[in-house]
Amino acid sequence: MMQQRVSILDGNTFLVCDRSGDVEPSFDFPTGMFSFDTRFLSTWLLTLDGERLHPLSVDDAHSYQTHFFLVPGEPTHYLDAKVSVIRSRSIGGNLVEELTVLNHSGQEMRFNLRLEMGSDFADLFEIKHQRPKKGRTSAVAGENTLRLTYRRDAFHREATVTSSTDAHVDQAGMTWAAVVGPHAEWSTRLTVTPVIHGARGEDVRAITALGAARGPAVIRDEQEELVARAPQLGCDCEPLAGAYQQSLHDLAALRYESITLGVRLLAAGLPWFMTLFGRDSMLTSLQVLPFLPELVPPTIMMLAGLQGYRLDDFRDEEPGKILHELRYGETAGFEEQPHSPYYGAADSTPLFVILLDEYERWTGDAALVKQLETPVRAALHWIDTYGDLLGTGYVWYRSRNPETGLENQCWKDSWDAISYADGRLPGFPRATCEIQGYVYDAKRRGARMARLFWNDPEYADRLDREATGLKERFNRDFWIPEKNYYALALDPDGRHVDSLTSNIGHLLWSGIVDEHRAAAVAEHLLGPRLYSGWGVRTLAVGEGRYNPIGYHVGTVWPFDNAFIAWGLSRYGFREEAGRICETMLAASRFFEGRLPEAFAGYERDLTDYPVQYPTACSPQAWSAGTPLLLLRVLLGLEPQGEHLIIDPMVPEGMGRVELLDIPGRWGRVDALGRSRTPSDDRRRL
């Protein structure tokens, strides 16, 4: 049975524990308190008179606060418990926990309350790859204070734990001798402060907003203020209403403040990806644009500011390339991992161009497009030079860093994600199909920006010609006539990597699919091999590496399905798009409105509910963004010049769907969708 865990987070400071609120050292899963890729608490274990406590109930309705209601002893003794303990916990830069012991008897009672404390200061990559520490840890006991310290050369991290009441402190934790009167209570408050020391010994958190202690009320107000700026949804479909609200709150919680620039960015997902990811951040930004467009510029600006400018094999960096992942921890600092930042993604660069253009279409922010002309030109130049490794007019990938770089540099970046139908793995370089679609879209959008904002019609015409040529070549070279679908990729010899995968849905979103082939693509996406009944699988049933619980080889990814639905809608397959929207939202009910990173690809008739993927991130940014993009698809929202096109197609069973006060260049407008069949009706506002 998979162990149930409880998470609270504020930006990229978060804590993962068990249902009792305890944390025990683990290298199987990142349990503990983390901030900026370092685990500041790896042990946080409560006992009462030497006994572990067991949960009666856990209130974890808020991302930043949790309450645990506990009793000592075995479950069979719960009915006779004379004492209970409440752990009230919040996170907001610091971790604050209030311990309350309640005496339910009619006489005074004495208890020894003990909290074991410790930190291994593990880097997330050390946990992921089970690597030993190379520095020294120490613990210094003071008056009601325990200071945990880690040093490795200039790398210096600390966690200070303080108690509001007198405690006996040793190097392994704190003990309280609690005297509790009849039907009375005793409490103490603990504060855990993580400290990130800079190069000159200064506390980086203290000189930025990162170190500011923020209580639950402040965090709640911050999140509610963001959620209040989003359009108001009114609908008859409870799963949609619940998923929409959950998504907005999760996106608010996943914002973190950059340690270098002091801007709020979206972290990709808890627990493994609480940092800036090029691909994830941009795809999430595309999802949220019609709802919270103000979240997008910080991401675009950060990515532009960190755009590659040199050749660096270790980091897979090349001039014009957009980063894949930025890390702040020890392994990046000592160059044991190349993530400072790491550029090993072939799709992030065209996505950068796509996002900027889509942002302007929604907001009319021409100033940002003009400001970022140089980075966009550099990105488009990378596509035609370093991206085209074989000089064939396609973007290929092969890591410059075979030791610690990523093998696969598309969104399916696990080692076995790109395979032939018989399960063999192709050599390198590889050119996956969806990246070519992104490049096509990027060139079209680059041409638009050059024509409208950069006063360069010659460059615009060139990009349009290149996009047209790419579409012609792609539909010739990637199409597999005998299978009637597009290849997953081309191998180094130009042969088809012939697995049937969800990647072909991204081709519809990009617009690179020839019109006469779109119906075949839609049929495969909703066919029994790819479509599970809950969503489109990453790899089709019957392929050599198909595994319904394989990370990229058979699971269902909500974000993937959202972009597939968007692509189907763009090609006029509104009913098929609506089917994906409806079943994906139905799946969200089984995750309490919070769609995870991925879930198993079992057939719906087999389970009647979507099966959890054991190590899925939750919340994850592009999964949180999924209900927003699905809602955009259902209402047919598309910006067109000075107008917003609204063409609702809400499946019959979903009833009324109304989105009020949509922000954009046209002011704030309403989209009123009624349950109906696909229609050619179009309304302009």
Side-chain angles (χ1 to χ4, degrees), residues 34-162:
F34 292 81
S35 189
F36 289 92
D37 299 324
T38 297
R39 178 157 61 187
F40 284 88
L41 282 179
S42 55
T43 300
W44 193 253
L45 183 62
L46 184 66
T47 57
L48 187 74
D49 290 339
E51 285 189 273
R52 296 286 294 269
L53 301 169
H54 302 276
L56 294 175
S57 183
V58 180
D59 176 11
D60 56 351
H62 302 289
S63 60
Y64 49 85
Q65 189 174 33
T66 312
H67 304 286
F68 304 86
F69 300 87
L70 311 165
V71 291
E74 295 301 318
T76 53
H77 298 157
Y78 286 0
L79 292 176
D80 299 322
K82 302 299 183 186
V83 61
S84 61
V85 176
I86 302 175
R87 306 177 80 168
S88 298
R89 179 178 295 169
S90 64
I91 201 160
N94 301 336
L95 172 68
V96 177
E97 177 163 328
E98 186 154 343
L99 297 174
T100 303
V101 180
L102 295 93
N103 178 6
H104 303 303
S105 74
Q107 58 187 14
E108 181 180 276
M109 299 186 72
R110 296 173 180 268
F111 303 101
N112 277 325
L113 197 68
R114 171 72 176 173
L115 190 56
E116 299 286 338
M117 307 169 183
S119 178
D120 57 5
F121 293 95
D123 185 284
L124 268 169
F125 281 99
E126 291 172 328
I127 298 171
K128 197 168 190 178
H129 303 298
Q130 300 192 1
R131 296 173 182 166
K133 296 298 297 179
K134 297 183 178 179
R136 293 175 292 105
T137 58
S138 61
V140 177
E143 184 178 354
N144 301 324
T145 300
L146 179 62
R147 186 181 298 275
L148 307 169
T149 303
Y150 177 79
R151 290 182 182 271
R152 178 184 172 191
D153 299 335
F155 188 88
H156 183 191
R157 300 289 186 265
E158 286 185 358
T160 302
V161 187
T162 58

Side-chain angles (χ1 to χ4, degrees), residues 12 37 256 266-268 273-277 281 325-328:
N12 73 350
D37 299 324
Y256 79 99
L266 278 172
F273 308 122
M274 296 300 287
T275 186
L276 176 69
F277 269 68
S281 298
E325 183 177 354
L326 175 64
R327 292 288 183 173
Y328 303 93

Side-chain angles (χ1 to χ4, degrees), residues 273-287:
F273 308 122
M274 296 300 287
T275 186
L276 176 69
F277 269 68
R279 175 193 308 120
D280 298 45
S281 298
M282 287 185 284
L283 291 175
T284 304
S285 294
L286 286 166
Q287 293 172 319

